[in-house]
């Protein structure tokens, strides 16, 4: 029976022979040493009265052997216990050459114990040994390998030696854990049980707590001595650790190389030790694989090592029992310093660099490097160059794994060691500082990174010169830090241009290092903005040279393709070329690097982004990004920075696909939780995670306070750590401004934030930088909401469009967005619908040609143009066709419940409303939209509330459902009051809508008045007297006063005020100005005595609308209808009849012959004709707008 010391071999043999002790004699011989063996053989001879046993000059080994083989001994069982030392059984010449044969012990030692074990067929011999080689030599194939105990067997063994069972119910879990820690080793279990039985004040839980605390605690507890009856003749109490030391001493006697391996493995991790690593380290200078394998087999034969399968190289590896590993370190205590220094040198020389091709090796090597580095600290052995080199190699791989904090600590350790050994300005010390700066930057410690990198650069300039490659690398590194710090792009540019100039001169125009510097400078030009053409030229140059000098599939060439693809993306209009480049890069990397290489995964990610931009391929994007995330989770780990970026990208895709905001929230909360824990609360990546989650909370609705808190936190940290003018700080201001705008009532703060952002970007980036232009656009949107500044809005947007046309080209996506925004402003300004139409038709034509018919941007262009056609009037059929097309594509590509699909349904419902006669379809569309939003976004999401409001308006038009309308609008108002506040614009609009419903329900005009006066007071105070939203509220209140009666003078004052402001701010011909003219004309009519002014106002309205809107717009038809009534009132009957008939024809073309407006106009024209014949006169006031 063979097995590890203490595993219970002797106990098993005792259990076995107890069954035979009454049937045959059992002779128990201890073979732990030759002296023990001789003494027990003499005792056997004495008990059996074998002739000659008492003659000290007789060979007792031979006498007993012959007696056991002879007939007089009968049947017997002979146990040879602790046959552990091979040299005692099979001596080698070198081990006995100094010994004579003058004593019996020396004779036995000379011949070996194996010579004196009986042969033949008589009796049964049982041997226990730790050495498999001894077992095989003695018993051939009749060897039993003692297995580990099963958990239930270990528990039973513990109970046999622990009588304090009263504490067991509470400590069962602790005992289970303790047995696992002891790895079910019988000797250890018995020792611990006996110790606890004697020391009742120490519970199992407390023992476990101490045992798992430190290595020193384990050593102290396992060094407690205890007598075990079945452990043999040793009169001294045995400890667990001394039990193993017997094997270590015997191993040292038998094989110097095996002993060296034992020392090496005592310094590294005990698990997954690769056989290939042990071949590579060239221990003691030995390279012969046979000699190495023999030495390792000896360790296996002693059960010190256990064979194990590992996922690396040959698949052959080893592991060591935890208690054996601890015993090894205890046994080598006095030699540990030497062993650690030797192991450091061996491992530092063996570990490969950290390029991806070596990551499989590193996966099994890293635990050993980290264990060795930990042991160096524990034993205070850190004064060698090898240990510093090991810190650098392990630090680099930890950095590549994204474990920046651990990497930084190792680089710091290396720096201190190199400084002590070689001085502060040694090249190795500086290289460690350089690497530390790198880790600082990735941890977001930008100030620390800057200080270190400036120090390294200063020393390298002084010691190596301005143009040394290491100096240039330092310049490049410092430039990268300045870029992240923000606000120093000019310095970055100067550093990189210097590096490029030197590289070109010293290395040549086409040297790989020169090309990499060109690539970095191109990235800086891109950051500076307005230099995309130069960026393109540099990157095309890099790619051309790389292709020619390195080949089409060289990694540097592929990087060049990817960089150029990104530039083409930014230039716009070349997405097909981008797709071709990125598909090429991905194909080559898949073939040459494999599906799961990080570079392949990054290519998949880049291509996914391009597919997003191309539109219509979101399912492919999702598949690519889910594949990337799955591989990164498996190969890099759940918390690697690259894995977290993949989670964020997938979250964005889920957002675009719609209906998965909960999954988006879970992914982003996971990203933020990991970054907070691994990088810290204030790391730039953590702040970006907060910002992304804030945006998702905003989209989920009902959590604007949380959004505000997150964004205010981001901005506060960015201001404090990066400075007021850092790009990330400015982005934080802009995001918070958007939230303040949505919260309502804080437009002045929004304006201040956005003006600050714009001022800084103009000063630091220039008037024409893309970020500056984005700020102009955002500020223009705020001015629009503030009202009364449409001329400034127009100037900002025209500036944005002019720069984008000049720097990006007429067809760049950003240029097209600029056109679209300007078109919306022209629409707001009024009187320029033809220009709006031209801009939007241009945007749509380019989008169709460059992006395709079904690209998201193309669909947005169709939708915007449809809105313009709707406002122009007379083209409702085209509007319907465009919107039905958009809806069909979105249903097919995004799904029925995607947010964009729902918006299309809502828009089409509005068009059906205007076409008339399709209110049932409108109702079905809006009920569908509302049902989906309630289910996917929740009852109180802003979009859900808008859907409720739209459906309420439809129910109003359908008639007979005013109670449902009231319930919907009261629900909307209640939620908005609670989530947005009493004075938020959306809350005020809800009040206004509910007031209109109360009007229709009748009998609640006082409540209507109170609501509208409340709305008007709040808007005057928060938005100002002349804001576009304040003015319609005045108009609504005027209508209410009119219905209440007796307040026509107040009505007149309100409507004259509205008209005066709109004339001044929007112009005489703006659609809203024309509505005000029309409403005031009706009021004048009701006041009486001002029919000439009424006539002039209505003629003006009709003239402008005919000129600006086209032939068959509904507003023209309404203006004709109203003017016809006034003409009839001033007794210009023929003109009135003619105009009313024209209005009726226009209504037929716009609404159809069955629409109520059409029938009303036809009925009046016919009645007037009849009354003209009969001489009667009928007065009507007109249609208010």
């Amino acid at each position: 029976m063979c097995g590890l010391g203490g595993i219970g071999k002797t106990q098993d043999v005792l259990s076995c022979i107890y069954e035979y002790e009454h049937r045959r004699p059992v002779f128990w011989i201890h073979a732990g040493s030759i002296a023990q063996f001789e003494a027990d053989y003499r005792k056997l001879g004495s008990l059996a009265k074998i002739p000659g046993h008492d003659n000290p000059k007789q060979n007792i080994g031979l006498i007993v052997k012959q007696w056991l083989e002879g007939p007089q001994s009968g049947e017997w069982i002979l146990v040879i216990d602790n046959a552990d030392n091979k040299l005692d059984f099979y001596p080698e010449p070198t081990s006995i050459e100094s010994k004579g044969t003058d004593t019996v012990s020396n004779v036995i030692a000379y011949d070996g114990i194996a010579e004196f074990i009986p042969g033949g067929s008589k009796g049964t011999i049982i041997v226990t040994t730790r050495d498999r080689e001894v077992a095989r030599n003695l018993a051939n194939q009749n060897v039993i390998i003692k297995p580990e105990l099963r958990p239930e067997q270990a528990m039973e063994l513990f109970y046999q030696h622990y009588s304090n069972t009263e504490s067991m119910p509470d400590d069962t879990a602790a005992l289970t854990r303790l047995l696992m820690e002891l790895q079910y080793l019988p000797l250890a279990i018995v020792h611990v049980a006996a110790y606890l039985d004697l020391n009742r004040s120490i519970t199992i839980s407390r023992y476990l707590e101490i045992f798992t605390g430190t290595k020193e605690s384990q050593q102290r507890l396992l060094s407690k001595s205890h007598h075990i009856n079945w452990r043999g003749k040793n009169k001294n109490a045995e400890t667990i650790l001394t039990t193993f030391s017997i094997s270590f001493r015997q191993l040292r006697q038998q094989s110097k190389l095996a002993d060296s391996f034992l020392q090496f493995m005592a310094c590294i991790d005990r698990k997954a030790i690769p056989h290939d690593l042990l071949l590579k380290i060239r221990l003691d200078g030995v390279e012969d694989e046979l000699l190495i394998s023999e030495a390792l087999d000896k360790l296996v034969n002693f059960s010190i090592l256990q064979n194990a399968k590992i996922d690396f190289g040959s698949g052959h590896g080893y592991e060591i029992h935890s208690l054996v590993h601890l015993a090894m370190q205890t046994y080598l205590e006095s030699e540990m310093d030497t062993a650690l220094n030797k192991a450091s040198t061996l491992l530092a020389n063996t570990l490969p660099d950290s390029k991806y091709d070596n990551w499989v090796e590193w996966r099994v090597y890293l635990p050993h490097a980290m264990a060795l580095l930990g042991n160096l600290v524990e034993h205070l052995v850190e004064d060698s160059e090898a240990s510093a080199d090991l810190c650098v190699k392990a630090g680099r791989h930890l950095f590549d794994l994204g474990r920046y904090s651990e990497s930084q600590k190792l680089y710091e350790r290396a720096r201190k060691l190199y400084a002590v050994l070689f001085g502060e300005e040694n090249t190795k010390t500086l290289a460690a500082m350089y690497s530390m700066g790198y880790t600082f930057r990735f941890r977001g410690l930008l100030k620390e990174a800057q200080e270190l990198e400036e120090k390294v650069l200063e020393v390298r300039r002084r010691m190596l010169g301005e143009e040394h490659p290491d100096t240039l690398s330092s310049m490049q590194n410092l430039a990268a830090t300045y870029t992240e710090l923000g606000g120093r792009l000019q310095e970055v540019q100067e550093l990189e241009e210097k590096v490029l100039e030197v590289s070109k001169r010293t290395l040549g125009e086409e040297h790989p290092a020169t090309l990499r510097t060109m690539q970095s400078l191109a990235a800086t030009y891109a950051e500076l903005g307005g230099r995309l053409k130069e960026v393109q030229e540099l990157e095309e140059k890099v790619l051309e040279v790389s292709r020619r000098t390195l080949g089409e599939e060289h990694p540097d060439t592929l990087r060049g393709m990817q960089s150029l693809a990104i530039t083409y993306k930014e230039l716009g209009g070349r997405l097909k070329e981008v797709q071709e480049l990125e598909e090429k890069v991905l194909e080559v990397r898949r073939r040459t690097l494999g599906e799961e290489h990080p570079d392949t995964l990054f290519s998949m990610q880049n291509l996914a982004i391009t597919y997003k931009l191309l539109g219509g391929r979101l399912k492919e994007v999702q598949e690519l990004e889910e594949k990337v995330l799955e591989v990164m989770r498996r190969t890099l780990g759940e918390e690697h920075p690259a894995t977290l970026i993949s989670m964020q990208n997938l979250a964005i895709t889920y957002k675009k696909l719609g209906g998965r905001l909960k999954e988006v929230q879970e992914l982003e909360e996971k990203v933020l939780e990991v970054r907070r824990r691994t990088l810290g609360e204030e790391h730039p990546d953590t702040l970006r995670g907060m910002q992304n989650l804030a945006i998702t909370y905003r989209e989920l609705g009902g959590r604007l306070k949380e959004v505000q808190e997150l964004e205010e936190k981001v901005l506060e940290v960015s201001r404090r750590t990066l400075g007021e003018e850092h790009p990330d700080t400015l982005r934080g201001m802009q995001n918070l401004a958007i939230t303040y705008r949505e919260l309502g009532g804080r437009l002045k703060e929004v304006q201040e934030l956005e003006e600050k952002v714009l001022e800084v970007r103009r000063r630091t980036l220039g008037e024409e930088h893309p970020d500056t232009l984005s700020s102009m656009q955002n500020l223009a949107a705020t001015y629009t909401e503030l009202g009364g500044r449409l001329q400034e809005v127009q100037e900002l947007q025209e500036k944005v469009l002019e720069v984008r046309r000049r720097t990006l080209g007429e067809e760049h996506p950003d240029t097209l967005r600029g056109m679209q925004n300007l078109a919306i402003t022209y629409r707001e300004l009024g009187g320029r619908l033809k220009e709006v139409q031209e801009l939007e038709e241009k945007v749509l034509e380019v989008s169709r040609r460059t992006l395709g018919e079904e690209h998201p941007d193309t669909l947005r262009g169709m939708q915007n143009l449809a809105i313009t056609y709707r406002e122009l009037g007379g083209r409702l059929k085209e509007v319907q066709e465009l919107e039905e097309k958009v809806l069909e594509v979105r249903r097919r590509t995004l799904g029925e419940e995607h947010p964009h699909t729902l918006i299309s349904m809502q828009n089409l419902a509005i068009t059906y409303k205007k076409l008339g006669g399709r209110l049932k379809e409108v109702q079905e569309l809006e009920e569908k939209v509302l049902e989906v939003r309630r289910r996917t976004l929740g009852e109180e999401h802003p979009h859900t509330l808008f859907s409720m409001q739209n459906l309420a308006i439809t129910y109003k038009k359908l008639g007979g459902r005013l109670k449902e309308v009231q319930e919907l609008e009261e629900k909307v108002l209640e939620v908005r009051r609670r989530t947005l506040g009493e004075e938020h614009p959306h809350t005020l609009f809800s009040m206004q809508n509910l007031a209109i419903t109360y009007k229709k329900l009748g009998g609640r005009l006082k409540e209507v008045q109170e609501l509208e006066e409340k709305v008007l007071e709040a808007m005057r105070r928060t938005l100002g007297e002349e804001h576009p939203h304040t003015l319609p509220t005045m108009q609504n209140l005027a209508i209410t006063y009119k219905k209440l009666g007796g307040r026509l003078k107040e009505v007149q004052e309100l409507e004259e005020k509205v008209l005066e402001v709109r004339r001044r701010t929007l112009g005489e011909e703006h659609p809203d100005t024309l509505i005000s003219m029309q409403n005031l004309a009706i009021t004048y009519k009701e006041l009486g005595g001002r029919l000439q002014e009424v006539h002039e106002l209505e003629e003006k309205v009709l003239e402008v609308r005919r000129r600006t809107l086209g032939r068959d717009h509904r507003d023209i038809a309404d203006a004709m209808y109203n003017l016809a009534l006034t003409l009839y009132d001033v007794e210009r009957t023929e003109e009135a009849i003619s105009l009313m008939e024209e209005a009726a024809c226009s209504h037929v073309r716009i609404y159809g012959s069955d629409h109520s407006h059409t029938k009303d106009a036809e009925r009046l024209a016919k009645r007037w004709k009849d009354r003209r014949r009969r001489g009667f006169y009928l007065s009507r006031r007109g249609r208010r707008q």
Side-chain angles (χ1 to χ4, degrees), residues 669 672 676 681 686-687 689-698 703-717 732 736 739:
E669 285 177 339
L672 180 56
R676 274 176 162 152
E681 185 74 17
T686 307
L687 298 178
M690 287 184 193
Q691 192 61 68
N692 288 328
L693 185 58
I695 292 166
T696 299
Y697 284 167
R698 192 186 294 144
R703 302 180 71 166
L704 280 176
K705 286 295 176 187
E706 288 174 84
V707 173
Q708 179 183 346
E709 287 166 14
L710 280 168
E711 291 180 338
E712 285 177 341
K713 171 73 174 176
V714 169
L715 181 55
E716 182 274 322
V717 174
L736 185 58
T739 299

Side-chain angles (χ1 to χ4, degrees), residues 59 559 613 619 862 870 973 1044:
N59 185 338
R559 273 190 287 276
L613 292 173
K619 285 294 177 189
M862 288 183 189
R870 196 188 291 146
L973 179 57
L1044 282 163

Side-chain angles (χ1 to χ4, degrees), residues 9-74:
K9 302 181 294 294
T10 300
Q11 181 64 23
D12 280 1
V13 173
L14 280 169
S15 299
C16 173
I17 64 173
Y18 283 151
E19 297 180 21
Y20 294 93
E21 62 177 338
H22 300 300
R23 284 177 263 172
R24 62 178 77 176
V26 178
F27 304 114
W28 196 284
I29 307 298
H30 292 278
S33 68
I34 288 173
Q36 278 188 323
F37 179 81
E38 182 190 359
D40 280 0
Y41 252 37
R42 286 200 181 279
K43 187 175 179 183
L44 190 160
S46 174
L47 290 170
K49 297 183 172 52
I50 301 172
H53 74 274
D54 52 354
N55 185 348
K57 294 190 176 180
Q58 288 286 323
N59 185 338
I60 189 63
L62 189 60
I63 289 171
V64 171
K65 177 186 176 186
Q66 289 173 346
W67 181 79
L68 289 169
E69 291 174 344
Q72 64 272 36
S73 60

Side-chain angles (χ1 to χ4, degrees), residues 148-213:
E148 286 185 353
L149 292 182
R150 295 190 302 276
E152 62 273 16
Q153 293 173 318
M155 189 80 76
E156 184 181 348
L157 180 61
F158 183 88
Y159 287 155
Q160 290 170 9
H161 296 270
Y162 182 72
S163 59
N164 186 21
T165 53
E166 292 176 5
S167 67
M168 290 308 297
D170 295 331
D171 268 6
T172 302
L175 177 57
T176 302
R177 171 83 191 283
L178 178 59
L179 295 175
M180 288 175 63
E181 290 289 336
L182 298 173
Q183 291 198 288
Y184 310 114
L185 186 69
L187 178 63
I189 293 168
V190 172
H191 267 279
V192 171
Y195 175 81
L196 289 171
D197 202 45
L198 289 171
N199 297 275
R200 298 291 181 91
S201 62
I202 301 175
T203 65
I204 295 172
S205 296
R206 179 61 183 144
Y207 186 95
L208 175 64
E209 186 181 340
I210 297 168
F211 185 82
T212 55

